[in-house]
Amino acid sequence: MTVTVAPYRTVEEATVALDAAYDRIAAADRPEVFLSLLTREDAHDALAASFTRPTGPLTGMLVAVKDNIDVLGFDTTAGCPGFRYTPEEDAASVAALRAAGVTVIGKTNLDQFATGLVGTRSPYGTVRDSRVPARISGGSSSGSAVAVALGFVDAALGTDTAGSGRVPAGLQGLTGVKPTLGVVSTKGVVPACASYDCVTVFARQTDTAEQVMTVLATTGDRDGGADVRFAAPATPVIGVPAELPELSGSWRTAFLSAVHALRDAGCGIRTIDLDPALDAARMLYESPIVAERAEAVGAFVATATPEDAVDPTVDGIITAAGRFSGPEVLAARRDLDRRRASIMAGWDDLDAVLIPTAPFHPTIAEVTADPVGVNAAMGTYTNFCNLFDLCGVAVPWITVPDNGRGDAGPAQFGVTVLAPAFGDAVAADIAARLTGAGAETALDTDPAARRTPGSWIRAARVEHTSVVVVGAHLRGQPLNSQLAAVGAVFAGDVETSPDYRLFALDTVPPKPGMTGPVAQGGAAIAGEEWVLSPAGLARFLGQLPAPMALGEITLSDGRRVTGFTCQPEAVADATEITATGGWRNHLAEVRG
């Protein structure tokens, strides 16, 4: 039997959206954004074809892909004309999206070989900011970010090694999701620094980014282990830097306002010394670790001719990266491991870290005058992330009056929430608290359709289990915080099979006890399903007060899952409330 999934858009809505997108592309006159683009007619054909297959969750979504990611039917250039080749298949990430129904309309410009954070290092032209063309877009995923910001597509794929999936998001007022390394496959991606590369998502709405990541997360091959966190606790502890290098007065004020918003939203704030992380971040380009860039495309760059159009700055970085020996690279990796262990130990009691996404918004003229220095400054808060195996979600915060360096005119300030590996849902949850607290973006301020943050992590290769609660652990009830404390996330309302009994226990706080299955006198009992890691389940079990226990229960859909049970002798003197169908109904009756 074929299962039909609700599409992102209906065919009628998608057709209207496609024509509107192509109208915007024509009116914008931004030839530097796309390196290849379907004609309107071919895009209509591709969109129509997506609706002839079984409907996927992303059917009707329009997507652009950074041109260092293979897409069947398009050449891959990695931003270098002489490097051009025709792939024989989609990258794993693109294949998953197409299977889910997306229509890829084009490939986007980038800092050549994904080497840069500015969007100016391309022979195909500098990708300009979506609002103030005299400013940079941010790189290296420059074209992907601007394509989303200008409304050409619903979402776009980028890559991130040193910040390329976060800096452009921050400057363009977008959500940028940089997952844990290995959660999304990099098969079919031209490597920049293979050990630290990952595929990322740009979208105007957080919800859209989450939907795309749900599909992408099925492609990775990294086992998340047993202690994955599926949500932030109710009162997460967030580290914020004591010092904010490179930030001007207006951008510093903007960052502090985000910190205050999280505090007001119930988060605990702890000041941290970010300097050791910023110092370690320099290793990405200034230590033998940079040799991976030479391994990736060094052979091509070494023999390139002027006709190949290798960017001079990129050439210098990659050529210099080839000077290191194998022992030097190994020694640098050991040094990085020591630094990472020391720094992460100091963050062990934190749920996340909040940082500015970018320190300022340079003009193109500034980058032209100092291409290496400005680029390095743009990575101040991003370069250490992948080196430390962190995940992150960049979100827009507020519009500031200048670009952070005295150039008048409104600019977008954004922040990034970082969490340890496989804490993706924690980062997304905390980022959503910010967007719910009034984050400004000129692109989209409607939060109505946002989904459960970080829900996509369940699609990744991580161990998880379900637990069904029927009483004081329900949402809004006094013990629900125990689920949040072990990283559980709400998965939906459920009912048991119709052969369970429910009793009101005389406890503090009040809670029910459920027994069954029984041969007669039972009913379907309403509850909630929560998802958590096996380690989280073990911690949760350790908190349960007598006479509660966890055991196997059967749901109305036939699944057998872990849920709350109670031994019959524990309810011998309790009032039976089975007829109410659930604890919430019982409480409503008591209140009258």
Side-chain angles (χ1 to χ4, degrees), residues 278-295:
L278 302 185
D279 186 56
R282 298 185 182 96
M283 296 183 70
L284 189 60
Y285 280 101
E286 298 176 14
S287 82
I289 287 175
V290 76
E292 281 206 50
R293 292 191 181 269
E295 182 217 6

Side-chain angles (χ1 to χ4, degrees), residues 325-561:
S325 68
E328 288 175 312
V329 173
L330 293 174
R333 285 189 176 278
R334 285 194 294 272
D335 182 24
L336 175 61
D337 288 343
R338 287 191 293 270
R339 292 173 183 240
R340 177 172 55 231
S342 175
I343 293 167
M344 295 306 293
W347 296 358
D348 191 53
D349 59 343
L350 301 176
D351 295 294
V353 171
L354 183 74
I355 53 174
T357 301
F360 58 99
H361 195 161
T363 63
I364 294 170
E366 286 179 280
V367 175
T368 302
D370 183 11
V372 175
V374 174
N375 187 89
M378 293 306 292
T380 299
Y381 296 100
T382 57
N383 282 358
F384 67 87
C385 181
N386 286 2
L387 293 179
F388 286 8
D389 200 12
L390 304 176
C391 56
V393 179
V395 291
W397 178 235
I398 59 174
T399 301
V400 288
D402 61 65
N403 72 344
R405 288 291 175 97
D407 176 29
Q412 179 68 54
F413 175 79
V415 294
T416 297
V417 180
L418 300 176
F422 291 99
D424 303 73
V426 175
D429 190 0
I430 294 169
R433 297 187 193 198
L434 270 176
T435 57
E440 293 180 19
T441 166
L443 301 170
D444 181 359
T445 56
D446 180 11
R450 290 188 178 124
R451 297 150 65 91
T452 302
S455 58
W456 58 266
I457 191 64
R458 281 177 280 156
R461 189 186 176 194
V462 297
E463 293 185 58
H464 62 276
T465 188
S466 292
V467 62
V468 169
V469 298
V470 296
H473 289 87
L474 295 167
R475 289 177 298 166
Q477 295 301 304
L479 298 184
N480 181 255
S481 60
Q482 292 181 352
L483 283 168
V486 296
V489 63
F490 174 71
D493 295 313
V494 293
E495 276 190 338
T496 69
S497 57
D499 45 10
Y500 286 84
R501 300 173 70 187
L502 195 68
F503 299 83
L505 303 177
D506 184 16
T507 60
V508 178
K511 65 176 73 71
M514 188 173 74
T515 64
V518 295
Q520 58 184 359
I525 305 300
E528 294 175 351
E529 181 178 3
W530 290 72
V531 173
L532 68 170
S533 70
L537 180 61
R539 292 197 299 272
F540 181 63
L541 180 60
Q543 299 175 15
L544 293 184
M548 310 309 297
L550 292 178
E552 185 180 83
I553 64 173
T554 304
L555 299 182
S556 58
D557 60 9
R559 288 185 297 144
R560 293 183 176 181
V561 299

Side-chain angles (χ1 to χ4, degrees), residues 8-90:
Y8 182 78
R9 289 191 182 100
T10 66
V11 64
E12 295 81 11
E13 293 169 337
T15 301
V16 171
L18 179 64
D19 280 324
Y22 271 77
D23 288 344
R24 283 190 287 270
I25 291 170
D29 190 26
R30 289 295 189 97
E32 79 272 19
V33 172
F34 286 103
L35 299 188
S36 51
L37 179 68
L38 293 180
T39 65
R40 187 186 294 244
E41 181 180 5
D42 286 345
H44 271 287
D45 290 343
L47 181 66
S50 73
F51 280 93
T52 65
R53 301 186 287 272
T55 303
L58 305 184
T59 301
M61 179 182 287
L62 307 179
V63 169
V65 177
K66 185 177 181 178
D67 199 23
N68 63 338
I69 304 173
D70 289 344
V71 180
L72 192 62
F74 296 88
D75 285 350
T76 300
T77 72
C80 181
F83 189 77
R84 181 185 300 271
Y85 65 89
T86 302
E88 296 182 355
E89 61 181 0
D90 284 327

Side-chain angles (χ1 to χ4, degrees), residues 232-320:
T235 55
V237 179
I238 300 171
V240 298
E243 301 293 334
L244 296 167
E246 299 286 349
L247 256 67
S248 70
S250 61
W251 285 49
R252 185 180 301 268
T253 299
F255 178 74
L256 294 177
S257 72
V259 174
H260 293 319
L262 283 177
R263 182 181 285 117
D264 292 343
C267 301
I269 303 297
R270 184 165 75 80
T271 301
I272 61 171
D273 181 6
L274 197 63
D275 285 348
L278 302 185
D279 186 56
R282 298 185 182 96
M283 296 183 70
L284 189 60
Y285 280 101
E286 298 176 14
S287 82
I289 287 175
V290 76
E292 281 206 50
R293 292 191 181 269
E295 182 217 6
V297 293
F300 170 82
V301 171
T303 59
T305 66
E307 290 73 26
D308 291 324
V310 176
D311 179 86
T313 303
V314 174
D315 188 338
I317 293 169
I318 293 174
T319 299

Side-chain angles (χ1 to χ4, degrees), residues 147-306:
V148 174
L150 291 176
F152 300 164
V153 288
D154 301 302
L157 296 189
T159 60
D160 188 311
T161 307
S164 298
R166 292 162 281 154
V167 169
L171 299 184
Q172 301 308 311
L174 306 173
T175 293
V177 179
K178 192 221 79 65
T180 295
L181 295 172
V183 163
V184 180
S185 173
T186 55
K187 180 184 177 183
V189 177
V190 178
C193 196
S195 297
Y196 308 107
D197 293 342
C198 66
V199 175
T200 64
V201 177
F202 297 101
R204 293 186 295 281
Q205 299 114 331
T206 301
D207 177 58
T208 303
E210 293 283 319
Q211 289 176 283
V212 174
M213 279 304 309
T214 298
V215 173
L216 294 178
T218 64
T219 67
D221 58 2
R222 183 178 175 189
D223 191 334
D227 200 16
V228 178
R229 301 189 71 184
F230 293 92
T235 55
V237 179
I238 300 171
V240 298
E243 301 293 334
L244 296 167
E246 299 286 349
L247 256 67
S248 70
S250 61
W251 285 49
R252 185 180 301 268
T253 299
F255 178 74
L256 294 177
S257 72
V259 174
H260 293 319
L262 283 177
R263 182 181 285 117
D264 292 343
C267 301
I269 303 297
R270 184 165 75 80
T271 301
I272 61 171
D273 181 6
L274 197 63
D275 285 348
L278 302 185
D279 186 56
R282 298 185 182 96
M283 296 183 70
L284 189 60
Y285 280 101
E286 298 176 14
S287 82
I289 287 175
V290 76
E292 281 206 50
R293 292 191 181 269
E295 182 217 6
V297 293
F300 170 82
V301 171
T303 59
T305 66

